[in-house]
Amino acid sequence: MNNNRLFRDTNHKMIGGVAAGLAEYLQTDVTIMRVLFVLAVFIPLNFPVVLLYIILWIVMPDIAKRPKILQNSHIPS
């Protein structure tokens, strides 16, 4: 079971840390996630990707502000 939590990674951010946080959560390369976001901007969708990015930026908590108990990726039992 994956015990990762979804956080914005502001330590490795380019704009807001959303792509870096998603890449860490999905255990992929951050460059791949950033390229997917850029490509998605140019693909015509009913829901604008820029708006999705802004919503994720607001909703996702910052990794630097997470509780100390989660710093070591240890979940108490």
Side-chain angles (χ1 to χ4, degrees):
M1 183 169 166
N2 188 359
N3 289 330
N4 277 345
R5 305 267 323 251
L6 184 59
F7 288 100
R8 282 186 301 120
D9 190 358
T10 54
N11 298 326
H12 301 104
K13 70 178 183 175
M14 289 296 260
I15 297 175
V18 174
L22 283 172
E24 183 178 331
Y25 180 74
L26 297 173
Q27 298 175 350
T28 61
D29 187 28
V30 68
T31 306
I32 294 171
M33 194 62 59
R34 289 177 181 149
V35 168
L36 288 175
F37 266 113
V38 170
L39 289 176
V41 168
F42 297 109
I43 297 173
L45 298 173
N46 292 335
F47 191 77
V49 176
V50 176
L51 182 61
L52 175 68
Y53 189 91
I54 292 170
I55 290 171
L56 287 174
W57 192 349
I58 293 169
V59 172
M60 289 172 60
D62 188 357
I63 197 168
K65 296 178 184 173
R66 68 181 169 176
K68 294 293 181 190
I69 198 163
L70 296 176
Q71 288 288 340
N72 298 327
S73 299
H74 177 273
I75 298 177
S77 50

